[in-house]
């Protein structure tokens, strides 16, 4: 390697293959752009791996769309040729027993055979959904709306089922409680006593006797009211009675205050006097002590004159 010049490049097979693949991809992209621009010069752009990747993806999608469009155009052309041949045969007075339904089946069969696996699966799913939903001429948007309505209805039914389940459980609990209550009522604890008819007769007899006594008492009250006379006071009389009552109430309060002063004295008069004298002596003793303390305080605080 020492005899090679410093700027000589080292050959690498992987690099060469990558360069050849990139050149092939750019050639494919250039030819696709030239076909789309119909001989005009495509706009200039930066040639880098990201641009190449995006253009290759776009070219692949475009070719797939072109193939689908060509298949559809070929099917439409074949169908148109068949219809024209049918019309020409009928105009020429040929055999009019050509089965139109068979021709339609052939066209539909050809279309179905030209579909991909995903397209055939989608067509079967769409047809099955239309049959179950009862749609004669289904459209994707119409099928989607029908599926959405079906989902909403399913959710509403689930909610209603849940509410019915809750109501059923509550009903079962209430039935069980009523069964227990019925068992308790039918038990021995709720059976009437044996002498219930006799108690009813006694109660009826007492009720009749009390009714008679009530009538007699009413008659007595009426006769007494007629004999004595029921007073009918006026408002002025009621006011005077109220004033006298308030005066008596005030007198009672003053007497209560006077009586409260003698509270704690014994009920015997002699003992009460002795206790009163003892309290008086105690009061005089306390008064004398107070006077002595006051005099001592005055003498101590009064300044003495010097001799």
């Amino acid at each position: 390697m020492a005899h090679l010049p410093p700027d000589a490049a080292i050959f690498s097979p992987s690099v060469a293959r990558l360069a050849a693949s990139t050149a092939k991809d750019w050639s494919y992209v250039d030819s696709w752009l030239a076909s789309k621009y119909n001989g005009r010069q495509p706009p200039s752009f930066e040639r880098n791996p990201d641009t190449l990747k995006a253009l290759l993806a776009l070219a692949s999608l475009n070719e797939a769309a072109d193939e689908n469009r060509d298949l559809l155009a070929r099917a439409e052309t074949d169908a148109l040729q068949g219809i024209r041949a049918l019309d020409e045969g009928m105009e020429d007075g040929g055999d009019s027993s050509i089965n139109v339904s068979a021709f339609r089946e052939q066209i539909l069969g050809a279309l179905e055979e030209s579909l991909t696996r995903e397209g055939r699966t989608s067509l079967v799913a769409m047809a099955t959904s239309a049959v179950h939903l009862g749609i004669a001429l289904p459209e994707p948007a119409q099928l989607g709306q029908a599926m959405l309505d079906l989902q909403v209805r399913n959710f509403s039914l689930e909610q209603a089922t849940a509410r019915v389940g809750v109501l059923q459980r509550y009903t079962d609990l209430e039935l069980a409680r009523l069964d227990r209550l019925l068992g308790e009522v039918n038990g021995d604890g709720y059976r009437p006593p044996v002498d219930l008819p006799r108690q009813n007769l006694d109660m009826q007899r007492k009720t009749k006797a009390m009714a008679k006594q009530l009538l007699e008492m009413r008659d007595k009250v009426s006769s007494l009211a007629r004999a004595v006379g029921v007073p009918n006071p006026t408002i002025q009389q009621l006011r005077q009675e109220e004033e006298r009552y308030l005066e008596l109430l005030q007198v009672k309060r003053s007497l209560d205050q006077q009586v409260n002063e003698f509270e704690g004295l014994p009920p015997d008069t002699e003992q009460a006097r002795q206790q009163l004298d003892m309290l008086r002596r105690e009061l005089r003793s306390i008064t004398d002590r107070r006077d002595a303390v006051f005099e001592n305080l005055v003498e101590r605080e009064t300044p003495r004159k010097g001799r």
Side-chain angles (χ1 to χ4, degrees):
M1 293 291 183
H3 63 280
L4 293 176
D7 55 348
I10 300 175
F11 177 76
S12 175
S14 59
V15 174
R17 284 195 298 271
L18 181 60
S21 176
T22 304
K24 184 178 179 181
D25 292 338
W26 276 117
S27 176
Y28 168 73
V29 169
D30 291 336
S31 62
W32 175 72
L33 289 175
S35 64
K36 293 302 177 183
Y37 279 91
N38 294 324
R40 293 178 298 171
Q41 183 67 25
S44 59
F45 55 89
E46 183 180 357
R47 292 176 176 267
N48 53 31
D50 294 334
T51 306
L52 178 61
K53 184 178 180 181
L55 290 175
L56 286 174
L58 181 61
S60 299
L61 292 175
N62 188 263
E63 287 184 355
D66 291 341
E67 290 178 359
N68 293 332
R69 187 174 63 253
D70 292 340
L71 288 175
L72 183 60
R74 192 180 303 113
E76 291 178 352
T77 302
D78 294 340
L80 183 60
Q81 290 177 358
I83 293 173
R84 286 178 178 176
L86 180 62
D87 292 339
E88 290 176 358
M90 294 180 66
E91 290 177 358
D92 295 339
D95 188 7
S96 60
S97 62
I98 298 176
N99 194 349
V100 180
S101 62
F103 179 70
R104 184 177 64 248
E105 292 295 334
Q106 291 178 0
I107 294 177
L108 294 177
L111 289 175
E112 186 176 359
E113 289 178 358
S114 63
L115 291 175
T116 60
R117 181 182 300 176
E118 292 80 5
R120 189 173 301 174
T121 304
S122 301
L123 182 61
V124 172
M126 184 175 178
T128 305
S129 301
V131 170
H132 286 294
L133 294 174
I135 301 175
L137 300 175
E139 294 290 338
Q142 188 178 5
L143 286 176
Q145 184 64 36
M147 293 294 291
L148 183 60
D149 295 340
L150 187 61
Q151 188 70 20
V152 171
R153 190 182 307 169
N154 186 22
F155 179 75
S156 300
L157 290 176
E158 288 179 356
Q159 295 295 319
T161 304
R163 289 193 293 269
V164 170
V166 173
L167 182 60
Q168 184 177 2
R169 289 193 295 271
Y170 178 75
T171 305
D172 294 338
L173 292 175
E174 288 296 321
L175 286 176
R177 187 180 65 82
L178 291 176
D179 289 338
R180 292 194 300 270
L181 180 60
L182 183 60
E184 293 177 359
V185 171
N186 291 330
D188 297 336
Y190 284 89
R191 289 184 179 178
V194 180
D195 57 345
L196 183 61
R198 184 177 58 80
Q199 293 180 5
N200 290 334
L201 292 176
D202 294 340
M203 187 64 67
Q204 292 177 3
R205 192 178 301 110
K206 291 179 181 179
T207 303
K208 292 179 180 179
M210 293 297 293
K212 292 180 180 179
Q213 292 180 4
L214 181 60
L215 293 176
E216 293 177 357
M217 294 297 294
R218 285 179 179 176
D219 294 339
K220 289 181 180 180
V221 170
S222 299
S223 60
L224 183 61
R226 287 193 299 269
V228 176
V230 179
N232 295 320
T234 61
I235 297 177
Q236 186 67 24
Q237 293 176 354
L238 291 176
R239 185 178 299 172
Q240 293 176 358
E241 292 293 334
E242 183 181 3
E243 291 177 355
R244 284 196 293 270
Y245 170 73
L246 293 176
E247 292 176 357
L248 292 175
L249 187 61
Q250 187 66 27
V251 172
K252 177 182 176 299
R253 290 175 180 174
S254 62
L255 293 176
D256 289 338
Q257 291 178 358
Q258 295 177 7
V259 171
N260 290 332
E261 294 178 357
F262 297 97
E263 185 178 1
L265 294 176
D268 188 15
T269 306
E270 189 65 27
Q271 293 180 359
R273 287 178 180 175
Q274 293 178 1
Q275 187 173 359
L276 182 60
D277 293 338
M278 183 180 64
L279 291 174
R280 286 175 179 174
R281 289 193 299 270
E282 185 177 356
L283 178 60
R284 283 195 298 270
S285 175
I286 293 173
T287 303
D288 294 340
R289 190 183 309 167
R290 183 199 62 186
D291 294 340
V293 171
F294 182 73
E295 290 176 359
N296 292 331
L297 181 62
V298 171
E299 290 179 357
R300 187 177 59 186
E301 296 296 333
T302 301
R304 297 180 180 180
K305 296 181 180 181
R307 294 181 181 179

